[in-house]
Amino acid sequence: MPKVVAWPIKTTELHTRQLNSARWNAFNFRSDDIIVATYAKSGTTWTQQIVSQLLYRGAEGINVSRLSPWVEQRILPDAAIAALDLQVGRRFVKTHLPVDALVYSPKAKYIYVGRDGRDVAWSFHNHQFNATDELFQRYNAGMPEGTPIWERGSDDPHEFYRRWFDEDSYPLWPFWHYVRSWWAIRGLPNLLVLHYSDMKADLEGSIRKVATFLDIEIDEAKWPGIVEHCSFDYMKRNASEIAPLGGALWKGGGQTFINKGTNGRWRDVLSADEIAAYDLKAAAELGPECSNWLAFGSLRDVPRVT
Ligand code: A3P
C-alpha cells in the first residue's frame, strides 16, 4: 500500500541581498519542471549543463543561463520569470533556497547537489573577489537602510573563509541550515541527491543517474557529445554561453566563474586546528551521517517513498 508522503511546506521567507524567496509563491509549476537545488558554488551550473545536454540531446550553443534562471535572485528582472511561462520545452530552473523558504511542488523533479563547505567558501571567494564593480553595485542597491555594503574584500581566500566560518556563511545565507533542510527530505520520491565529489569521480554515471531520474532516454549516438559538453574543460571553453549572464559580471568573464573545478584547495592553507574546528562544527550542525556525506559524497541509494 503506498505510503502517504509528507510534502515540505513553506514556513518562512528569505529576503537577503541575494534572495527574494517570495518569487516562488506565484511560480506556475508544470508537471515536468526540473529544479536544480544547490547551495551557491556547489556545482549548480554544472548540473544545469547536464540537464540541458540531456534535454537538448547533446546540442551545442544552448544558452543555459537564459533558459534556466535563478528564480529567487533578488536582482533578476521579473521579466525573466514571466518569460518562463512562455517556454515551450521542458523547463529547468535553479534555486539556492533552503527547503523551508521554497515552495516545494510534488509535480516537479528536484536535483539537490551537495559540496563540502570549505570548497564552497573557496569557490565563493573567487566568485566575490573577481566580480566586477557592477555586480557589487547591483546587489547593494535597493537594500534597506543600514544594511552593510557588500564589498570585494581581500584577495586571500583564508581571510574570506575565516569570516564565512565565524559569521554563519557571511556574505551568503546560512549554510548549515540549508544543508540540514535538504538532507531532511532526501527520501522524497521526486528528489535526486548528488554530490560534487561523486560527479567528479564518475561524470558518466552521474549523467546517467540524472537521465534515469528525469525519465529522459539517452540517444546513445549522442552520448559522447553529451559527456564531452559536461566536462570541465568544455564548460570552461564555452563559459560565455554556460555561466550566469555569460559571465558578464566577472572580470575575465565566464572563464573566471567556471574557475578550477577541484576540491580541497583549502587543505594546504587551513591549519590543522581550523580543519578540526570545521569538522566538529559540521558534525554538530548536521549529525554524523550527513556531515560525512557532505565531506566525502557517496550517498548510498536512499530508499524512496512510493
Ligand atoms: P570552483 O570555483 O571551485 O572552481 P556554481 O555553479 O554552483 O556557482 O558552482 C561553481 C563551481 O562549479 C566552480 O567551482 C566551478 O569551477 C565548478 N564547475 C563548473 N563546471 C564544472 C565541471 N564541469 N566540472 C567540475 N566543476 C565544475
Side-chain angles (χ1 to χ4, degrees):
M1 173 147 161
K3 281 194 200 132
V4 175
V5 177
W7 297 107
I9 292 170
K10 178 167 180 164
T11 53
T12 192
E13 296 287 7
L14 256 186
H15 292 285
T16 73
R17 193 178 276 113
Q18 296 98 356
L19 309 174
N20 168 16
S21 64
R23 273 259 175 77
W24 282 98
N25 299 346
F27 191 83
N28 292 320
F29 282 99
R30 297 181 190 164
S31 58
D32 60 354
D33 277 343
I34 302 160
I35 321 287
V36 174
T38 54
Y39 194 82
K41 312 318 292 178
S42 300
T44 326
T45 317
W46 189 9
T47 310
Q48 288 170 292
Q49 175 72 357
I50 291 173
V51 171
S52 85
Q53 283 297 298
L54 290 169
L55 290 176
Y56 293 93
R57 298 160 46 89
E60 296 194 76
I62 305 293
N63 192 320
V64 171
S65 144
R66 189 175 46 76
L67 280 175
S68 181
W70 173 12
V71 172
E72 73 278 1
Q73 184 184 30
R74 187 181 63 87
I75 63 170
L76 184 78
D78 288 335
I81 301 297
L84 277 171
D85 281 334
L86 304 176
Q87 281 193 22
V88 284
R90 190 169 177 185
R91 305 185 305 180
F92 61 117
V93 298
K94 88 178 193 191
T95 181
H96 287 321
L97 288 177
V99 176
D100 56 350
L102 187 65
V103 176
Y104 190 97
S105 172
K107 281 181 169 181
K109 289 202 170 171
Y110 293 78
I111 304 174
Y112 164 54
V113 185
R115 192 181 190 189
D116 187 286
R118 291 159 290 201
D119 295 311
V120 164
W122 246 254
S123 182
F124 194 77
H125 172 260
N126 166 69
H127 180 114
Q128 169 180 297
F129 185 71
N130 291 306
T132 58
D133 291 344
E134 189 191 340
L135 181 143
F136 293 101
Q137 280 153 15
R138 285 170 71 173
Y139 278 107
N140 284 320
M143 291 301 292
E145 240 181 70
T147 307
I149 300 289
W150 178 30
E151 291 173 313
R152 176 179 315 284
S154 155
D155 66 348
D156 179 3
H158 198 173
E159 204 173 300
F160 174 88
Y161 171 82
R162 282 194 203 102
R163 191 161 181 200
W164 179 88
F165 185 69
D166 292 343
E167 295 182 28
D168 201 2
S169 334
Y170 179 87
L172 297 168
W173 49 99
F175 176 72
W176 305 113
H177 169 75
Y178 178 93
V179 175
R180 228 177 5 245
S181 77
W182 282 95
W183 181 256
I185 64 161
R186 64 195 181 281
L188 286 181
N190 61 343
L191 172 62
L192 176 69
V193 177
L194 298 177
H195 192 285
Y196 184 99
S197 299
D198 295 332
M199 289 162 65
K200 273 198 76 75
D202 181 9
L203 177 58
E204 295 199 25
S206 303
I207 300 173
R208 286 197 188 274
K209 217 182 247 184
V210 172
T212 304
F213 173 67
L214 298 178
D215 296 314
I216 297 173
E217 204 174 320
I218 294 169
D219 176 350
E220 293 301 331
K222 307 282 182 195
W223 180 245
I226 292 174
V227 176
E228 157 71 5
H229 302 159
C230 296
S231 69
F232 179 79
D233 290 346
Y234 180 92
M235 286 183 59
K236 184 132 179 142
R237 272 199 316 276
N238 293 278
S240 62
E241 276 160 3
I242 299 168
L245 296 176
L249 294 178
W250 286 272
K251 297 173 180 171
Q255 299 207 339
T256 300
F257 184 96
I258 312 281
N259 179 26
K260 298 259 196 276
T262 57
N263 281 335
R265 303 198 293 278
W266 43 271
R267 281 193 191 283
D268 295 334
V269 180
L270 297 182
S271 68
D273 284 353
E274 285 173 315
I275 291 176
Y278 174 97
D279 288 338
L280 262 179
K281 174 103 177 146
E285 292 278 357
L286 306 176
E289 199 192 359
C290 178
S291 58
N292 192 57
W293 168 74
L294 192 66
F296 303 110
S298 289
L299 179 71
R300 275 184 295 278
D301 282 342
V302 181
R304 296 197 176 286
V305 181
T306 50

